[in-house]
Amino acid sequence: MLTASFWLQIGNGLLETLYMTLVSSLIAYVLGLPLGVLLVVTDKSGLVPRPTLNKVLNVAVNLLRSIPFLILMIAVTPLSRALLGTTLGSTATIVPLVIGAAPFIGRVVESSLREVNPGVVEAAVSMGATPWQIITKVLLPEALPSLIVGAALSVTTILGYSALAGMLGGGGLGALAINYGYYRYMIDYMYVPLIVLVIVVQVFQLVGDVIARAVDKRK
Amino acid sequence: MQENAGASRPIIEIRGLSKVYTGPDGEAFNALTDVNLTIERGDIFGIIGMSGAGKTTLVRCMNMLETPTSGTVIIDGKDLGRLSPKELREVRKTATMIFQHFNLLMQKTVLKNVMFPLELVGTPKDEARKRAMELLEIVGLPDKANAYPAHLSGGQKQRVAIARALATNPKVLLCDEATSALDPMTTRQILELLKDINARLGLTIVIITHEMSVIREICTKVAVIDGSRLVETGTVEQVFTRPQTAAALRLFYSSDSAGVLGEGPTVRLVFEGTKAYEPILSGMINACHAPVSVLHGSIERIKGKAYGQLVIQLPADERAARLALEYLEMSDVVVEGVGNNVDG
């Protein structure tokens, strides 16, 4: 039962899960952060109003967000194959994870940026700041605590998706729970990964909260 | 105009300025209607009006935070409507602004806030820091350099905002209800600071306010805005002693009580300078032998000079009222009708 090889499997599963989650989060942020910024600044009352672009982005985000992750994973298998040559394993899972998470992160970033006091943005405009300066020196720094809280939320959500990827040949703790725990009815393979996942989520959330509090100068 | 007219030209010239907002239902709302205004260099110019009169829209048109529907705004010889975005950003560095709610960067220290406009123009860090410290000296907050705005009082936040607004050596400082969120004591201190900066740096200050006390305290000239129109402009003394419009008059005292008591005509008396101390009222009562009611009275100081103002209701009896008015006119006080029976 709880043998050394069992723990080795759990350990490997954990590493795979962290690998999928963190790499996907990173790439998804590379796409989602600019997306969130664009959603805010191209708004009709935004810094650089571009109503058509704004509408297109909004529709695209809503479209992607409305596809259940399980279906999305199946739908993007040709893309994974084209990009990585395989649809199996942890690395292949990163493709659907990024596509699923980027629009979500876009929305999270958007809502953080919308919390920034418009008066502060206006003050920067009145000082002759360019739109780029306002994005990089006002919007993002002023929203930092909220962006970090949002990042903790995004990473834990991606962690949840990555576990789901275990159903379709992905790796990690989710795959262990499904392949051994569910299909072979090995109770320990079902519950130990579950407990480990719960702990990982708690740790991510805690770290996010601590950093967010440390960088928050508003109180 | 001469070649060298730029320097002697008024710092702010506004011609035929109108601003119309269109509501979501397509309904038009006139925020400003045909405003003409000239502000001379070095003035502390007050723009006063009730809320909703359009004064905030007016000041926001002076740096194009609000785009006028029609008309021209010329700052230091530059017609803002004809500038490219880049040129407009340059003008904004010469006409900076402070706000009712300060609008400081909450995630930056006081020092970093003051350095911010310099950072925008690419001033080297060391130089920017040195300049920011000088400015914090001027506004009296050098010891708060490393504090965050969240730990400052309202007055201190406004001082930081003033230091920040001065960083780029502007020629104009636009103050949009800058003291409206402050208590009377702090308001006085901030106004003192503005007066000091005006004298020391010679920059023009435009003050938007709904408080007459702010105008009296520091302004040299005042414009009264009412219902989207500029109705009166002049020196503060002129507008206080001889207001030409009901809107201006309304700002000097609450007219709620006037015209509702009794039947006699209501008049406003203004006593200039030393006359504020003469017993004019008792003289008037002796002359007309009838009782008068005092509806409102105060002594105001405009730049150190005392002005008494008194709103009284004359006797309902026509003969007595005429005698009273004759006496007042003889005593060389400014008399204006404000209520019923006398034209305002």
Side-chain angles (χ1 to χ4, degrees), chain B residues 242-289:
Chain B
R242 290 181 175 76
Q244 305 295 309
T245 57
L249 202 55
R250 240 192 349 258
L251 293 164
F252 294 109
Y253 74 101
S254 154
S255 58
D256 297 348
S257 52
V260 289
L261 305 160
E263 309 204 320
T266 313
V267 294
R268 172 175 180 262
L269 315 179
V270 178
F271 313 74
E272 291 179 48
T274 52
K275 286 216 179 54
Y277 307 107
E278 284 176 18
I280 288 172
L281 260 197
S282 56
M284 182 189 76
I285 293 167
N286 272 336
C288 69
H289 298 293

Coordinates of all heavy atoms in Angstrom, one line a residue, chain B residues 242-289:
Chain B
R242 N -20.0 95.8 -5.7 CA -21.1 96.2 -6.7 C -21.4 95.0 -7.6 O -21.1 95.1 -8.8 CB -20.6 97.4 -7.5 CG -20.5 98.7 -6.7 CD -20.1 99.8 -7.5 NE -20.1 101.1 -6.8 CZ -19.3 101.4 -5.8 NH1 -18.2 100.6 -5.6 NH2 -19.4 102.5 -5.2
P243 N -21.9 94.0 -7.1 CA -22.2 92.8 -8.0 C -23.3 93.3 -9.0 O -24.2 94.0 -8.7 CB -22.8 91.8 -7.0 CG -23.2 92.5 -5.8 CD -22.4 93.7 -5.7
Q244 N -23.1 92.8 -10.2 CA -24.0 93.2 -11.3 C -25.1 92.2 -11.5 O -26.1 92.5 -12.2 CB -23.2 93.4 -12.6 CG -22.0 94.3 -12.5 CD -22.4 95.7 -12.2 OE1 -23.3 96.3 -12.9 NE2 -21.9 96.3 -11.2
T245 N -25.0 91.1 -11.0 CA -25.9 90.0 -11.3 C -26.4 89.4 -10.0 O -25.8 89.4 -9.0 CB -25.3 88.9 -12.1 OG1 -24.2 88.4 -11.4 CG2 -24.9 89.4 -13.5
A246 N -27.6 88.8 -10.1 CA -28.2 88.1 -9.0 C -27.4 86.9 -8.6 O -27.2 86.6 -7.4 CB -29.6 87.6 -9.3
A247 N -26.7 86.3 -9.6 CA -25.9 85.1 -9.3 C -24.7 85.5 -8.4 O -24.4 84.8 -7.4 CB -25.4 84.5 -10.6
A248 N -24.1 86.6 -8.7 CA -23.0 87.1 -7.9 C -23.5 87.4 -6.4 O -22.8 87.0 -5.5 CB -22.3 88.3 -8.5
L249 N -24.6 88.1 -6.4 CA -25.1 88.5 -5.1 C -25.4 87.2 -4.2 O -25.1 87.2 -3.0 CB -26.4 89.2 -5.4 CG -26.9 90.2 -4.3 CD1 -25.8 91.2 -3.9 CD2 -28.2 90.9 -4.8
R250 N -26.0 86.2 -4.8 CA -26.4 85.0 -4.1 C -25.2 84.4 -3.4 O -25.3 83.7 -2.4 CB -26.9 84.0 -5.1 CG -28.4 83.6 -4.8 CD -28.9 82.5 -5.6 NE -28.2 82.0 -6.7 CZ -28.5 82.2 -8.0 NH1 -29.5 83.0 -8.3 NH2 -27.8 81.7 -9.0
L251 N -24.0 84.6 -4.0 CA -22.8 83.9 -3.5 C -22.3 84.6 -2.2 O -21.5 84.0 -1.5 CB -21.7 83.9 -4.5 CG -22.0 83.0 -5.7 CD1 -21.1 83.3 -6.9 CD2 -21.9 81.5 -5.3
F252 N -22.8 85.8 -2.0 CA -22.3 86.6 -0.8 C -23.1 86.3 0.4 O -22.6 86.5 1.5 CB -22.2 88.1 -1.1 CG -21.2 88.4 -2.1 CD1 -21.6 88.8 -3.4 CD2 -19.8 88.3 -1.9 CE1 -20.6 89.1 -4.4 CE2 -18.9 88.5 -2.8 CZ -19.3 89.0 -4.1
Y253 N -24.3 86.0 0.3 CA -25.1 85.6 1.5 C -26.2 84.7 1.0 O -26.7 84.8 -0.1 CB -25.6 86.8 2.2 CG -26.7 87.5 1.5 CD1 -28.0 87.4 2.0 CD2 -26.5 88.4 0.4 CE1 -29.1 88.0 1.3 CE2 -27.6 89.0 -0.2 CZ -28.8 88.8 0.2 OH -29.9 89.4 -0.4
S254 N -26.7 83.9 2.0 CA -27.8 83.1 1.6 C -29.1 83.9 1.6 O -29.4 84.6 2.5 CB -28.0 82.0 2.7 OG -29.3 81.6 2.8
S255 N -29.8 83.9 0.4 CA -30.9 84.7 0.2 C -32.2 84.1 0.7 O -33.3 84.6 0.5 CB -31.0 85.1 -1.2 OG -31.1 83.9 -2.0
D256 N -32.1 82.9 1.4 CA -33.2 82.2 1.8 C -34.2 83.0 2.6 O -35.4 83.0 2.5 CB -32.8 81.0 2.6 CG -32.0 80.0 1.8 OD1 -32.0 80.1 0.6 OD2 -31.4 79.1 2.4
S257 N -33.6 83.8 3.5 CA -34.4 84.6 4.5 C -35.0 85.8 3.8 O -36.0 86.4 4.3 CB -33.6 84.9 5.7 OG -32.4 85.6 5.3
A258 N -34.3 86.4 2.8 CA -34.7 87.6 2.2 C -36.0 87.5 1.5 O -36.3 86.5 0.8 CB -33.7 88.2 1.3
G259 N -36.9 88.5 1.6 CA -38.1 88.5 0.8 C -39.2 87.7 1.3 O -40.3 87.7 0.7
V260 N -39.0 87.0 2.4 CA -40.1 86.2 2.9 C -40.8 86.9 4.1 O -41.9 86.6 4.5 CB -39.7 84.8 3.3 CG1 -39.5 84.0 2.0 CG2 -38.5 84.8 4.2
L261 N -40.0 87.7 4.8 CA -40.6 88.4 6.0 C -41.2 89.7 5.6 O -40.6 90.5 4.8 CB -39.5 88.7 7.0 CG -38.6 87.5 7.4 CD1 -37.3 88.0 8.0 CD2 -39.4 86.6 8.5
G262 N -42.3 90.0 6.2 CA -42.9 91.3 6.0 C -43.1 91.7 4.6 O -43.1 90.9 3.7
E263 N -43.3 93.0 4.4 CA -43.6 93.5 3.0 C -42.7 94.5 2.5 O -42.8 94.8 1.3 CB -45.1 94.1 3.1 CG -46.0 93.1 3.7 CD -47.5 93.4 3.3 OE1 -47.8 94.5 3.2 OE2 -48.2 92.4 3.1
G264 N -41.8 95.1 3.3 CA -41.0 96.2 2.8 C -39.9 95.6 1.8 O -39.7 94.5 1.8
P265 N -39.3 96.6 1.1 CA -38.3 96.2 0.1 C -37.0 95.7 0.9 O -36.7 96.2 2.0 CB -38.0 97.5 -0.7 CG -38.6 98.6 0.2 CD -39.6 98.0 1.1
T266 N -36.3 94.8 0.3 CA -35.1 94.3 0.9 C -33.9 94.9 0.2 O -33.9 94.9 -1.0 CB -35.0 92.8 0.8 OG1 -36.3 92.2 1.2 CG2 -33.9 92.2 1.7
V267 N -32.9 95.4 0.9 CA -31.7 96.0 0.3 C -30.5 95.4 0.9 O -30.5 95.0 2.1 CB -31.7 97.5 0.4 CG1 -32.8 98.2 -0.4 CG2 -31.7 98.0 1.8
R268 N -29.4 95.4 0.2 CA -28.1 95.0 0.7 C -27.2 96.2 0.8 O -27.1 97.0 -0.2 CB -27.5 94.0 -0.3 CG -26.1 93.6 0.1 CD -25.6 92.5 -0.9 NE -24.3 92.0 -0.6 CZ -23.2 92.4 -1.3 NH1 -23.4 93.3 -2.3 NH2 -22.0 92.0 -1.1
L269 N -26.6 96.5 1.9 CA -25.7 97.6 2.1 C -24.3 97.1 2.2 O -24.1 96.0 2.8 CB -26.0 98.3 3.4 CG -27.5 98.6 3.7 CD1 -27.6 99.3 5.1 CD2 -28.1 99.4 2.6
V270 N -23.4 97.7 1.5 CA -22.0 97.4 1.7 C -21.2 98.6 2.2 O -21.3 99.7 1.6 CB -21.4 96.8 0.3 CG1 -19.9 96.5 0.5 CG2 -22.1 95.6 -0.1
F271 N -20.6 98.4 3.3 CA -19.8 99.5 3.9 C -18.3 99.3 3.6 O -17.8 98.2 3.9 CB -19.9 99.5 5.4 CG -21.3 99.4 5.9 CD1 -22.0 98.2 5.9 CD2 -21.9 100.5 6.5 CE1 -23.2 98.1 6.4 CE2 -23.2 100.4 7.0 CZ -23.9 99.2 6.9
E272 N -17.7 100.2 2.9 CA -16.3 100.0 2.6 C -15.4 100.5 3.7 O -15.7 101.5 4.3 CB -15.9 100.7 1.3 CG -16.6 100.0 0.1 CD -16.3 100.6 -1.2 OE1 -15.1 100.9 -1.5 OE2 -17.2 100.9 -2.0
G273 N -14.3 99.9 3.9 CA -13.2 100.3 4.8 C -13.7 100.8 6.1 O -14.4 100.1 6.8
T274 N -13.4 102.0 6.5 CA -13.6 102.5 7.8 C -15.1 102.7 8.1 O -15.5 102.7 9.3 CB -12.9 103.9 8.1 OG1 -13.3 104.7 7.0 CG2 -11.4 103.7 8.1
K275 N -15.9 102.9 7.1 CA -17.4 103.0 7.3 C -18.0 101.8 8.0 O -19.1 101.9 8.5 CB -18.1 103.2 5.9 CG -17.8 104.6 5.4 CD -19.0 105.1 4.6 CE -18.7 106.5 4.1 NZ -17.5 106.5 3.2
A276 N -17.3 100.7 7.9 CA -17.8 99.5 8.5 C -18.0 99.8 10.0 O -18.7 99.1 10.7 CB -16.8 98.3 8.3
Y277 N -17.3 100.8 10.6 CA -17.4 101.0 12.0 C -18.3 102.2 12.4 O -18.5 102.5 13.5 CB -16.0 101.3 12.5 CG -15.0 100.3 12.2 CD1 -14.0 100.5 11.2 CD2 -15.0 99.0 12.8 CE1 -13.1 99.5 10.8 CE2 -14.1 98.0 12.4 CZ -13.2 98.2 11.4 OH -12.3 97.3 11.1
E278 N -18.9 102.8 11.4 CA -19.8 104.0 11.7 C -21.2 103.5 12.0 O -21.7 102.5 11.4 CB -19.8 104.9 10.5 CG -18.6 105.7 10.4 CD -18.5 106.6 9.2 OE1 -19.6 106.9 8.6 OE2 -17.4 107.1 8.9
P279 N -21.9 104.2 12.8 CA -23.3 103.8 13.2 C -24.4 104.2 12.2 O -25.2 105.0 12.5 CB -23.5 104.5 14.6 CG -22.7 105.8 14.4 CD -21.5 105.4 13.5
I280 N -24.3 103.6 11.0 CA -25.2 104.0 10.0 C -26.6 103.6 10.2 O -27.5 104.4 9.9 CB -24.6 103.4 8.6 CG1 -23.4 104.2 8.2 CG2 -25.7 103.5 7.5 CD1 -22.6 103.7 7.1
L281 N -26.8 102.4 10.8 CA -28.1 101.9 11.0 C -29.0 102.8 11.9 O -30.1 103.1 11.6 CB -28.1 100.5 11.5 CG -28.3 99.3 10.6 CD1 -28.7 98.1 11.4 CD2 -29.4 99.7 9.6
S282 N -28.3 103.2 13.0 CA -29.1 104.0 14.0 C -29.5 105.3 13.4 O -30.5 105.9 13.6 CB -28.4 104.1 15.3 OG -27.1 104.7 15.1
G283 N -28.5 105.9 12.6 CA -28.7 107.1 11.9 C -30.0 107.0 10.9 O -30.8 107.9 10.9
M284 N -30.0 105.8 10.3 CA -31.1 105.6 9.3 C -32.4 105.5 10.0 O -33.4 106.1 9.6 CB -30.8 104.4 8.5 CG -31.9 104.1 7.4 SD -31.6 102.5 6.8 CE -32.3 101.5 8.0
I285 N -32.4 104.9 11.2 CA -33.7 104.7 11.9 C -34.2 106.1 12.4 O -35.4 106.4 12.4 CB -33.5 103.7 13.0 CG1 -33.3 102.3 12.4 CG2 -34.7 103.6 13.9 CD1 -32.8 101.2 13.3
N286 N -33.2 106.9 12.9 CA -33.6 108.3 13.3 C -34.2 109.0 12.1 O -35.1 109.8 12.3 CB -32.3 109.0 13.7 CG -32.1 108.8 15.2 OD1 -33.0 108.4 15.9 ND2 -30.8 108.9 15.6
A287 N -33.7 108.8 10.9 CA -34.2 109.6 9.8 C -35.6 109.1 9.4 O -36.4 110.0 8.9 CB -33.2 109.4 8.6
C288 N -35.9 107.9 9.5 CA -37.2 107.4 8.9 C -38.2 107.1 10.0 O -39.4 107.0 9.7 CB -37.0 106.2 8.0 SG -36.6 104.7 8.9
H289 N -37.8 107.1 11.2 CA -38.7 106.9 12.4 C -39.5 105.6 12.2 O -40.7 105.6 12.5 CB -39.6 108.1 12.6 CG -38.8 109.3 13.0 ND1 -38.1 109.5 14.1 CD2 -38.6 110.5 12.3 CE1 -37.5 110.6 14.2 NE2 -37.8 111.3 13.0

